[in-house]
Each structure stands twice: as C-alpha cells, then as structure tokens.
Amino acid sequence: MSKIKTWMPLYIGDYLADTASLSTLQHGAYMLLMMEIWRNGPIQNNPRRLSRVAKTDVQTWEDEIWPELQDFFTVVDGCLDQKRLRAEREKAEEISKKRADAAAKRHASKQNACKTDANAEQMESNSSANAHANAEQVHSKCSASGHANDIQKDTQSQSQSHSSLRSEDVGCNRAAEIEKPIADRWQELAEDVIAATGNNPARSMVRADCVRQWLADASARGYSFETATEIILGTVREKSRFGGKGKPPAWFNSPVTQALASGTIPSAHIVGNAPKSRADRVADAWAGVPDIPGV
C-alpha cells in the first residue's frame, strides 16, 4: 500500500470553522467520504454507493446527511470530489516522488563507490604482482652478467620508477575520492529533520538552516553524509519524545552539536572514527607490501 494512502492531512482549525453547523452524524459521514476520496479517488455520485461509504442507510443519507454535505463537494463526470482534498493529495504525491528520486540517487552513488573500490583493489593486486616480477628479473640479471655496479644502478632506477608509480596511483585515487562537500547536501536532510520534529514538511514554514551548520560540523569531524544523518536524525527523534515535539529544528541545536562531538547515536550505538576513504585504504595496502631488496 502506498504510504500516501496511510495518512491524510487534517487542518483542524479550517475544518472546525467550515463544519460548525454539522451534527455528529454528518461529521462522521463527511470524514468517511473524505477518507474514501483520499484513498481511492472520486466516488460515483449514487445515493446507494454514497450511503454505503458513510455507513448508513439510503433513507438517512437522503433525509439527514446529504442536504447538509452537498455544498462541501463538487460533482465531476458523475463522481463526487473535493477540491481542497485533491490539491493536498497532489502535493503529497509530489513530495513523495522527490524523496523517492533522492533515495534512488543515493543508492546509485553507493553502488558506484563499491565499483570504484573493486577497481582499486584490482589495481593494488596488479601492482603487487608487477613488483615481485621486477624483483625476480633484477636478481636474474645480477647472476647472469656479473656487473654488480651496473645492475645496482638499474635496480635503483626501477625502484624509483616503481615508487613514483605507486605514489601517482595513490594520488589518482585521492583525486577520484573528491566528492561534493556533505555540508552542501543539507537540503536532502532538512525535510527529514522537520518531519522528525513532528512538523509537516509539506506545509511547515519553519527554517532549517541550522541543518547546514550541523553537516558542516560533521564534515569537519570526518563523518560521512550517511553517518552524520544517523546521528542528527537519531538525536532529533529522541529529543522530540521528551519535550521537543513540534519545535523548530533550531531548538535541537545544542543536543545535536553535543551528539556530533561525542559521535553518539541515541538508542543505537556509539560511532567510532569515521570510515577511511578508498585512497587511505590503498595507502594502507601498499604499506603492508614487504620491501624487496634492490627494488
């Protein structure tokens, strides 16, 4: 079932102002009709069909309910519809689509990162194999020619070339590691933060600029965007349960700042050091390759 079908916005002030003259029976029928239209679209304008949706009989529908409710609806192509409800549904669908697209982009980005890491590991393996092959070739030349000085010069030259290639390889990998700063991705997180505070992102007018600063702090501490998101949302959700529900994001500034400083994800686990980048992992891999005499 679509998430949109599981909830419907209700602006209580507007609703009570528009329906002040309705009876209890009419209120119930009105709500049931709006929920049916929200979930399944316009309803066929037929008394028998409408009375079933309103959970009443046709006689009661025609005598006590419909005369008071008919001004709240419009009939389009023989079906009962509600203008405000349709506008809210379209807005909710647009927001849902944007979030789905953003999630798909993040998933694609993670897949590309995995492919890059796999290529880096292959390069590490090939470089290690070449290093051992060069070492064997150097020792063969030494035993065949007997010219120790000349061979020593050749060996030193190959060692310098190999070291240069290894340095360039790490440098290239570091260049590929450069990504968009996580602080520039704050808008991806802002809507989720607003929702975690108990506000409705679709109509909330609260400012969420503090999310940008939170991500800047997280970046300075070496966190990835995903880890920073876990810490920030975890803290906001926990504080919302204890007096923070409905507050603007800026209200959570102090606990979020403290959580980023300590690396704590509430009700989950303690975050350690930020994960190493691919370039750092390449450098660590080369550090583990034993030195070969003369190479």
Side-chain angles (χ1 to χ4, degrees):
M1 177 182 294
S2 170
K3 289 185 178 180
I4 296 176
K5 289 187 177 183
T6 63
W7 65 272
M8 180 181 76
L10 177 62
Y11 305 112
I12 298 174
D14 294 345
Y15 177 85
L16 293 178
D18 293 341
T19 61
S21 62
L22 298 184
S23 66
T24 302
L25 178 64
Q26 292 159 355
H27 271 294
Y30 187 30
M31 290 300 299
L32 288 170
L33 289 171
M34 287 198 297
M35 287 189 283
E36 176 66 20
I37 292 173
W38 179 267
R39 286 169 56 87
N40 300 314
I43 313 171
Q44 183 181 3
N45 187 26
N46 178 285
R48 186 177 299 277
R49 167 69 175 144
L50 296 175
S51 65
R52 283 202 302 271
V53 174
K55 304 296 188 291
T56 186
D57 57 83
V58 176
Q59 190 66 41
T60 303
W61 169 262
E62 293 182 337
D63 293 346
E64 301 181 33
I65 299 176
W66 182 240
E68 294 296 328
L69 297 187
Q70 58 184 340
D71 292 337
F72 292 100
F73 297 94
T74 57
V75 179
V76 180
D77 297 330
C79 292
L80 208 64
D81 203 357
Q82 220 268 10
K83 184 178 180 180
R84 173 99 182 250
L85 202 63
R86 177 182 290 272
E88 292 294 338
R89 175 63 186 261
E90 291 174 353
K91 184 190 299 184
E93 289 176 343
E94 182 180 357
I95 292 174
S96 178
K97 183 178 183 302
K98 287 181 179 179
R99 290 181 176 176
D101 291 344
K105 289 180 180 179
R106 289 196 293 269
H107 179 68
S109 177
K110 289 180 180 179
Q111 287 186 325
N112 290 336
C114 290
K115 291 181 180 179
T116 302
D117 288 345
N119 291 337
E121 291 176 0
Q122 183 62 40
M123 291 175 65
E124 294 169 28
S125 176
N126 292 341
S127 297
S128 178
N130 290 337
H132 287 292
N134 289 338
E136 292 178 358
Q137 183 178 5
V138 169
H139 287 296
S140 176
K141 286 183 178 180
C142 286
S143 56
S145 64
H147 299 288
N149 292 334
D150 293 340
I151 294 301
Q152 184 177 7
K153 291 179 181 180
D154 290 342
T155 302
Q156 291 174 348
S157 176
Q158 289 186 14
S159 177
Q160 292 173 354
S161 175
H162 176 68
S163 176
S164 175
L165 287 173
R166 182 167 62 186
S167 175
E168 291 175 2
D169 180 45
V170 173
C172 291
N173 288 330
R174 289 192 182 277
E177 192 67 22
I178 297 175
E179 298 178 351
K180 184 179 180 181
I182 68 172
D184 291 346
R185 302 172 64 184
W186 69 277
Q187 290 178 322
E188 298 178 29
L189 181 59
E191 282 193 359
D192 291 335
V193 168
I194 292 174
T197 65
N199 291 293
N200 184 352
R203 67 187 297 269
S204 176
M205 300 298 290
V206 299
R207 295 175 63 85
D209 294 351
C210 55
V211 177
R212 187 205 302 267
Q213 184 58 49
W214 295 346
L215 285 180
D217 293 344
S219 177
R221 296 181 183 279
Y223 293 124
S224 66
F225 179 75
E226 290 73 17
T227 300
T229 297
E230 288 186 51
I231 296 176
I232 292 171
L233 287 181
T235 302
V236 171
R237 286 170 181 148
E238 182 187 52
K239 297 303 178 183
S240 292
R241 294 169 51 202
F242 301 101
K245 187 172 183 180
K247 301 289 186 182
W251 187 87
F252 299 86
N253 190 60
S254 179
V256 169
T257 301
Q258 292 175 5
L260 288 172
S262 63
T264 301
I265 300 179
S267 302
H269 57 278
I270 302 300
V271 178
N273 295 328
K276 291 184 178 180
S277 67
R278 177 174 57 80
D280 290 336
R281 294 199 304 273
V282 171
D284 289 345
W286 274 112
V289 176
D291 291 333
I292 300 173
V295 178

